[in-house]
């Protein structure tokens, strides 16, 4: 089955700097890669996703990149703000009603 | 819509007791998922349903765990008997469709934090 590895497990960046979280996946048939953000005491919430026919996608300060050959994808957050502090999860799925498998998460701390 | 509703939010019980966690998915969503979150393992998929039918329960840890979905608006996850290693946050999530052509977005509840003493 699919296995998703996520690094780092913890990341601290100065407010205003950029943060990058990286994930790898094992199943070459996976074609849908969402990212979720989990705030304290809440359930995860989708923030951006990318499909295998796209190499990069941006939404304001957030961008995701996908390298299907290497089977890795990344989340980039620019101009970080205090409200970006949270746990971020990457995930992978083969789509077509297949289950979504999550990485173990990255706890992001934005330092003042 | 109120979103995915889980109960209880917190449960503290003693080893050997039965625990029942409840979930009400978003109306109109065809899929329902149960995940378990721990520091060591992150978010683990336990089981998911499509149109009330269990599709994949390969993530259920052992026979002590069972899940049901008697109708489109209600699901339960039961642990009997509970053990200290079952302590975790259990999330329920629902989705309209997972097909690659649709968003495939999962909507999570706020979780049920279980502590087994």
């Amino acid at each position: 089955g699919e296995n998703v590895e996520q690094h780092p497990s913890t990341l601290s960046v100065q407010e205003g700097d950029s943060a990058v979280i990286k994930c790898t996946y094992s199943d070459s048939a996976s074609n849908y890669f969402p990212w979720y953000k989990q705030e304290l005491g809440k359930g995860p919430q989708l923030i951006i996703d990318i499909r295998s026919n796209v190499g990069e996608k941006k939404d304001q300060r957030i961008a995701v990149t996908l390298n299907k050959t290497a089977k890795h994808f990344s989340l980039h957050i620019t101009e970080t703000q205090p409200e970006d502090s949270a746990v971020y999860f990457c995930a992978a799925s083969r789509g077509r009603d297949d289950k979504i498998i999550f990485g173990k998460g990255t706890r992001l701390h934005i330092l003042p | 819509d109120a979103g995915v509703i889980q109960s209880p939010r917190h449960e503290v019980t003693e080893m050997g007791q039965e625990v029942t966690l409840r979930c009400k998915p978003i109306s109109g969503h065809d899929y329902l998922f149960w995940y378990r979150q721990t520091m060591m393992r992150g978010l683990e998929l336990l089981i998911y349903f499509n149109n009330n039918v269990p599709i994949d329960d390969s993530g259920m840890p052992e026979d002590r765990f069972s899940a049901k979905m008697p109708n489109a608006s209600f699901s339960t996850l039961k642990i009997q008997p509970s053990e200290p290693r079952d302590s975790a946050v259990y999330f329920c999530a629902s989705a309209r469709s997972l097909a690659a052509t649709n968003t495939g977005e999962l909507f999570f509840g706020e979780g049920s934090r279980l502590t087994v003493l």
Side-chain angles (χ1 to χ4, degrees), chain B residues 80-96:
Chain B
Q80 166 64 15
S82 58
E83 296 182 3
R85 60 192 167 121
D86 301 330
S87 297
V89 181
Y90 291 81
F91 284 101
C92 175
S94 69
R96 188 177 301 280

Side-chain angles (χ1 to χ4, degrees), chain B residues 18-55:
Chain B
E18 178 179 293
V19 173
T20 300
L21 307 178
R22 298 172 177 80
C23 175
K24 182 181 187 311
I26 293 173
S27 176
H29 282 190
D30 297 330
Y31 289 84
L32 185 139
F33 302 79
W34 283 101
Y35 284 89
R36 177 172 68 176
Q37 184 177 23
T38 61
M39 288 292 292
M40 290 296 294
R41 296 173 175 266
L43 267 174
E44 297 176 277
L45 176 64
L46 300 178
I47 185 171
Y48 78 100
F49 297 82
N50 178 21
N51 291 322
N52 314 338
V53 176
I55 301 301

Side-chain angles (χ1 to χ4, degrees), chain B:
Chain B
D1 201 314
V4 176
I5 299 173
Q6 290 187 246
S7 65
R9 290 295 312 278
H10 301 274
E11 174 96 5
V12 180
T13 191
E14 292 189 344
M15 182 173 64
Q17 297 298 305
E18 178 179 293
V19 173
T20 300
L21 307 178
R22 298 172 177 80
C23 175
K24 182 181 187 311
I26 293 173
S27 176
H29 282 190
D30 297 330
Y31 289 84
L32 185 139
F33 302 79
W34 283 101
Y35 284 89
R36 177 172 68 176
Q37 184 177 23
T38 61
M39 288 292 292
M40 290 296 294
R41 296 173 175 266
L43 267 174
E44 297 176 277
L45 176 64
L46 300 178
I47 185 171
Y48 78 100
F49 297 82
N50 178 21
N51 291 322
N52 314 338
V53 176
I55 301 301
D56 187 337
D57 65 354
S58 59
M60 296 286 263
E62 49 199 272
D63 292 344
R64 297 184 298 105
F65 285 69
S66 62
K68 293 183 180 179
M69 192 165 186
N71 57 60
S73 58
F74 184 66
S75 176
T76 59
L77 178 67
K78 190 170 290 188
I79 308 172
Q80 166 64 15
S82 58
E83 296 182 3
R85 60 192 167 121
D86 301 330
S87 297
V89 181
Y90 291 81
F91 284 101
C92 175
S94 69
R96 188 177 301 280
S97 171
L98 303 181
T101 54
N102 294 336
T103 63
E105 180 174 0
L106 298 184
F107 292 83
F108 284 81
E110 296 198 322
S112 293
R113 180 175 294 276
L114 172 65
T115 302
V116 183
L117 304 174

